[in-house]
């Protein structure tokens, strides 16, 4: 079983819609969760971090964490063509350990 | 505030040659990470340092790879000898006290 799993996509949504990106992780002791956005040919860019169960909102982005289900998601409201990118989920087990990345979900927002 | 700086941005070399990649972390960050990204394997951690000390190098593929961090503002990743299968994008990232990591622009390595 892969440690961090994401659907590779592509996930296609029309402009203005809500994009929902999902991630599951295998290690129950994981404590910190991150979403990175990566445009083609560019480096990963941190967009959200979440550490406790529930929702965390930042502008058009909402991260949701459910530790019991070992599930973290990213919602993008009012999707824009500029949101078209690969979204990487990353999980940290505990302080002093490195991030484990999923392989990413490619999002395509059509105008 | 300057972000993570990597050099060179692109490197093309022949099989068997030595390759050295360089990274300057964000000032004040005490953790530094080297990753490799390929289409097949995604983003893989190679090694990471905390306070200039290597903490986990289990991702280093083999003895041809080595990394150093002589001080808080500089790190190198060396491949000797290089092979075509080393072709990838190599990212350096840094963080403060194990929190959010910030990535550099990457070095695209092509070994022919």
């Amino acid at each position: 079983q892969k440690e961090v799993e994401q659907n590779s996509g592509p996930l296609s949504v029309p402009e203005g819609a809500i994009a929902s990106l999902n991630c599951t992780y295998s290690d129950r002791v994981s404590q910190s969760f991150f979403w990175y956005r990566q445009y083609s040919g560019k480096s990963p860019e941190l967009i959200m971090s979440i550490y406790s169960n529930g929702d965390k909102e930042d502008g058009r982005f909402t991260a949701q964490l459910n530790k019991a289900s070992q599930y973290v998601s990213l919602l993008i409201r009012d999707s824009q063509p500029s949101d078209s990118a690969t979204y990487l989920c990353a999980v940290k087990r505990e302080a002093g350990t490195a991030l484990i990345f999923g392989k990413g979900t490619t999002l395509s927002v059509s105008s | 505030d300057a972000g993570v700086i990597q050099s060179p941005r692109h490197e093309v070399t022949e099989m068997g040659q030595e390759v050295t990649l360089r990274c300057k972390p964000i000032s004040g960050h005490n953790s530094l990470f080297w990753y490799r990204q390929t289409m097949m394997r995604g983003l893989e951690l190679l090694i990471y340092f905390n306070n200039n000390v290597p903490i986990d190098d289990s991702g280093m593929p083999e003895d041809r790879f080595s990394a150093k961090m002589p001080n808080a503002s500089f790190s190198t990743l060396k491949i000797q000898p290089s092979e075509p299968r080393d072709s990838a994008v190599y990212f350096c990232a840094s963080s403060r006290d194990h929190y959010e990591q910030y990535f550099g622009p990457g070095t695209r390595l092509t070994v022919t």
Side-chain angles (χ1 to χ4, degrees):
Chain A
Q1 181 185 8
K2 295 179 183 177
E3 294 194 66
V4 179
E5 293 206 52
Q6 298 180 254
N7 187 322
S8 62
L11 174 65
S12 297
V13 300
E15 184 175 358
I18 296 175
S20 177
L21 303 160
N22 304 316
C23 172
T24 58
Y25 58 94
S26 60
D27 194 335
R28 282 194 171 274
V29 302
S30 299
Q31 295 185 351
S32 307
F33 307 86
F34 305 88
W35 283 99
Y36 285 81
R37 177 177 62 198
Q38 187 174 25
Y39 292 114
S40 180
K42 301 295 185 182
S43 60
E45 173 193 9
L46 179 67
I47 54 172
M48 289 287 285
S49 59
I50 186 166
Y51 303 98
S52 55
N53 280 328
D55 294 0
K56 179 181 178 182
E57 187 174 318
D58 184 0
R60 296 187 296 112
F61 299 99
T62 299
Q64 298 175 318
L65 175 61
N66 183 326
K67 289 187 178 181
S69 299
Q70 295 175 238
Y71 176 90
V72 58
S73 65
L74 179 70
L75 300 178
I76 306 175
R77 290 181 300 281
D78 189 23
S79 295
Q80 302 297 310
S82 59
D83 295 325
S84 299
T86 296
Y87 290 80
L88 300 167
C89 172
V91 173
K92 178 192 280 283
R93 286 174 53 205
E94 57 191 10
T97 63
L99 292 179
I100 301 171
F101 282 85
K103 288 197 172 182
T105 298
T106 299
L107 172 66
S108 176
V109 181
S110 56
S111 57
Chain B
D1 188 19
V4 176
I5 298 171
Q6 291 186 246
S7 65
R9 297 291 305 277
H10 301 273
E11 177 80 35
V12 180
T13 190
E14 293 184 347
M15 183 174 64
Q17 297 298 304
E18 177 179 295
V19 175
T20 299
L21 311 182
R22 297 172 175 81
C23 176
K24 176 178 169 59
I26 293 171
S27 178
H29 283 191
N30 59 351
S31 294
L32 183 141
F33 307 81
W34 283 101
Y35 291 90
R36 177 173 67 177
Q37 187 174 40
T38 62
M39 288 292 292
M40 288 293 294
R41 301 175 68 91
L43 197 59
E44 301 176 284
L45 176 71
L46 299 177
I47 185 170
Y48 88 91
F49 297 84
N50 184 246
N51 294 323
N52 310 339
V53 176
I55 302 300
D56 182 357
D57 65 353
S58 60
M60 295 286 263
E62 49 199 271
D63 291 346
R64 298 185 298 106
F65 285 68
S66 63
K68 294 181 179 180
M69 191 165 186
N71 57 62
S73 59
F74 183 66
S75 177
T76 60
L77 177 68
K78 185 177 293 187
I79 308 172
Q80 166 63 19
S82 57
E83 297 182 2
R85 60 189 167 127
D86 301 329
S87 297
V89 181
Y90 290 80
F91 289 107
C92 176
S94 71
S95 71
R96 189 196 313 268
D97 295 331
H98 307 294
Y99 289 104
E100 292 90 351
Q101 290 183 23
Y102 296 90
F103 282 75
T107 296
R108 182 174 296 276
L109 173 64
T110 302
V111 183
T112 61

